[in-house]
């Protein structure tokens, strides 16, 4: 029964992802900004006013990112086939074996085309239906993305504007005083750990984005601002985000810069900056307070990516932090918390 219940929950989460993902994202944003809202309320600013200011700031940030990335990303998507061909031709010079393989592939293709031409009069007429291009797919998905973004912002506003209503309802449903105190402790601990993690990661990613933009601009890359913004956004996804940014920067450099060496320099600089961030800066600022198993983080990113695609990868670590906090407070989950924990000062 337990296995069936887990499978049913996973199926429901996957089927209702269009609704569930924005709700969870709004809750995470509310956890991040609930502390500043309470701080402003203690200084005489009403909760709805501070909530509206925060949501408007988020809306301005989303609009800035969309405006800054729309033209470069659309150009990359439109030129993806041409970029792939140029990358293929330039990479042929790396190995004579690769050139031989390509030549053999071309000969096989010509032989197949000759055989097909010989049988052209005997075979049925073939009808080719062109598939929709990537820009068409993006345009078709844009209304849903806009609607989900608006829903996230509206829900975040109402959660923040409600103030301590959630905590009051949580206390009222608990049967005794010890359960009430534990529930409040868990709620505030989750809020503190998730907000601390997201705040630190946002600041670290902002610094990485600035460094990437400046470095790639100095190397002559086109649209260095777009690469800086992409590095900022993609670095919210552990491991995978840095790899995607590295591959994309190498491909664009290979197409737009004069030589293959220049492309490798760009990729090397990007790799160096992300390595410094991942191996030095983030462990120093975040790892001292948040200790999670690296293997568990990678599994969580892969699992939520499989379930919810890109947004799942972005929310994987905050959800893992939430689970880790729950494991600290609930006795039945403490063995799972030991499994989630990474190496610490007391772990050899």
């Amino acid at each position: 029964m337990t296995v069936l219940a887990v499978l049913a929950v996973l199926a429901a989460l996957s089927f209702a992802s269009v609704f569930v993902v924005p709700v969870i994202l709004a809750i995470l944003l509310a956890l991040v900004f609930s502390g500043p809202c309470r701080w402003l309320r203690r200084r005489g600013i009403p909760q709805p006013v501070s909530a509206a200011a925060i949501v408007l700031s988020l809306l301005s940030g989303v609009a800035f990112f969309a405006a800054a990335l729309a033209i470069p990303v659309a150009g990359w998507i439109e030129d993806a086939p041409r970029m792939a061909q140029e990358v293929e031709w330039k990479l042929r010079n790396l190995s004579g074996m690769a050139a031989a393989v390509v030549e053999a592939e071309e000969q096989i293709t010509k032989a197949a085309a000759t055989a097909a031409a010989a049988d052209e009069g005997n075979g049925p007429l073939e009808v080719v239906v062109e598939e929709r291009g990537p820009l068409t797919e993006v345009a078709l998905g844009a209304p849903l993305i806009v609607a989900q973004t608006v829903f996230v912002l509206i829900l975040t506003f109402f959660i923040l504007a409600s103030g301590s209503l959630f905590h009051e309802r949580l206390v009222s449903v608990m049967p005794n005083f010890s359960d009430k105190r534990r529930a409040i402790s868990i709620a505030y601990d989750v809020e503190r750990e998730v907000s601390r993690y997201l705040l630190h990661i946002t600041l670290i990613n902002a610094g990485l984005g600035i460094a990437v933009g400046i470095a790639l601009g100095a190397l002559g890359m086109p649209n260095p601002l777009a690469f800086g913004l992409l590095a900022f956004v993609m670095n919210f996804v552990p491991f995978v985000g840095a790899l995607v940014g590295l591959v994309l920067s190498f491909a664009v450099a290979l197409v737009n810069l004069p030589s293959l060496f220049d492309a490798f320099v760009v990729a090397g600089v990007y790799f160096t900056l992300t390595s410094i961030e991942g191996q030095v800066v983030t462990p120093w600022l975040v790892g001292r307070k948040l200790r999670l198993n690296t293997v568990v983080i990678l599994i969580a990113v892969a699992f939520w990516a499989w379930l919810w695609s890109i947004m799942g990868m972005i929310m994987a670590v905050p959800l893992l932090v939430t689970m880790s906090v729950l494991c600290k407070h609930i006795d039945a989950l403490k063995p799972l918390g030991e499994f989630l924990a990474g190496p610490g000062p007391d772990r050899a």
Side-chain angles (χ1 to χ4, degrees), residues 297-307 313 316:
I297 293 177
L298 185 58
I299 294 174
V301 171
F303 171 77
W304 291 111
W306 166 73
L307 193 65
M313 290 191 293

Side-chain angles (χ1 to χ4, degrees), residues 12-141:
L13 291 176
S14 178
F15 178 76
S17 61
V18 176
F19 169 75
V20 176
V21 171
V23 170
I24 295 179
L25 183 57
I27 293 174
L28 291 176
L29 289 174
L31 289 175
V32 174
F33 295 107
S34 56
C37 277
R38 284 196 299 270
W39 184 83
L40 293 172
R41 184 183 60 186
R42 289 194 295 267
R43 280 149 183 80
I45 300 177
Q47 198 93 349
V49 175
S50 58
I54 290 173
V55 170
L56 288 176
S57 300
L58 290 174
L59 179 60
S60 301
V62 171
F64 170 75
F65 272 84
L69 291 176
I71 296 178
V73 172
W76 294 337
I77 294 175
E78 187 176 5
D79 292 341
R82 181 184 64 84
M83 291 174 60
Q85 291 180 355
E86 292 194 20
V87 169
E88 179 185 358
W89 280 102
K90 289 189 176 181
L91 289 179
R92 286 183 182 183
N93 298 325
L94 290 177
S95 172
M97 183 182 298
V101 170
V102 172
E103 184 179 356
E105 181 183 0
E106 291 178 352
Q107 292 177 356
I108 294 173
T109 303
K110 290 179 181 179
T114 303
D119 296 336
E120 184 178 1
N122 301 324
L125 180 63
E126 180 181 1
V127 178
V128 178
V129 180
E130 293 186 359
E131 297 181 357
R132 293 180 299 193
L135 283 180
T136 304
E137 295 290 343
V138 173
L140 292 176

Side-chain angles (χ1 to χ4, degrees), residues 110-183:
K110 290 179 181 179
T114 303
D119 296 336
E120 184 178 1
N122 301 324
L125 180 63
E126 180 181 1
V127 178
V128 178
V129 180
E130 293 186 359
E131 297 181 357
R132 293 180 299 193
L135 283 180
T136 304
E137 295 290 343
V138 173
L140 292 176
L144 177 61
I145 296 175
V146 173
Q148 288 181 321
T149 303
V150 172
F151 176 71
V152 168
L153 294 176
I154 293 176
L155 184 58
T156 302
F157 167 77
F158 280 105
I159 295 176
L160 293 175
S162 62
S164 59
L165 180 63
F166 170 77
H167 299 92
E168 295 172 0
R169 295 293 181 267
L170 185 63
V171 169
S172 64
V173 300
M174 292 293 109
N176 52 59
F177 178 74
S178 61
D179 291 336
K180 296 177 187 293
R181 185 172 61 181
R182 174 180 289 188

Side-chain angles (χ1 to χ4, degrees), residues 92-307:
R92 286 183 182 183
N93 298 325
L94 290 177
S95 172
M97 183 182 298
V101 170
V102 172
E103 184 179 356
E105 181 183 0
E106 291 178 352
Q107 292 177 356
I108 294 173
T109 303
K110 290 179 181 179
T114 303
D119 296 336
E120 184 178 1
N122 301 324
L125 180 63
E126 180 181 1
V127 178
V128 178
V129 180
E130 293 186 359
E131 297 181 357
R132 293 180 299 193
L135 283 180
T136 304
E137 295 290 343
V138 173
L140 292 176
L144 177 61
I145 296 175
V146 173
Q148 288 181 321
T149 303
V150 172
F151 176 71
V152 168
L153 294 176
I154 293 176
L155 184 58
T156 302
F157 167 77
F158 280 105
I159 295 176
L160 293 175
S162 62
S164 59
L165 180 63
F166 170 77
H167 299 92
E168 295 172 0
R169 295 293 181 267
L170 185 63
V171 169
S172 64
V173 300
M174 292 293 109
N176 52 59
F177 178 74
S178 61
D179 291 336
K180 296 177 187 293
R181 185 172 61 181
R182 174 180 289 188
I184 288 297
S185 177
I186 292 175
Y188 279 115
D189 202 4
V190 168
E191 176 186 309
R192 180 174 61 254
E193 293 297 329
V194 173
S195 62
R196 178 185 296 164
Y197 167 77
L198 289 177
L199 177 61
H200 287 170
I201 287 299
T202 301
L203 294 177
I204 292 171
N205 291 353
L208 176 66
I210 293 172
V212 167
I214 294 175
L216 267 59
L219 293 174
M221 284 284 286
N223 300 313
L225 176 61
F227 279 101
L229 294 177
L230 280 176
F232 169 76
V233 174
M234 294 304 300
N235 210 55
F236 280 99
V237 181
F239 312 120
V240 179
L243 180 61
V244 172
L246 176 64
V247 172
L248 181 61
S249 63
F250 176 73
V252 175
L254 202 58
V255 173
N256 291 276
L257 297 185
S259 66
L260 186 62
F261 175 77
D262 295 328
F264 276 111
V265 170
V266 169
V269 169
Y270 194 99
F271 177 77
T272 301
L273 293 175
T274 54
S275 298
I276 293 173
E277 175 273 326
Q279 302 299 323
V280 179
V281 179
T282 297
W284 182 66
L285 292 178
V286 179
R288 293 181 298 175
K289 295 293 183 181
L290 176 66
R291 299 192 182 277
L292 292 174
N293 193 326
T294 305
V295 177
V296 173
I297 293 177
L298 185 58
I299 294 174
V301 171
F303 171 77
W304 291 111
W306 166 73
L307 193 65

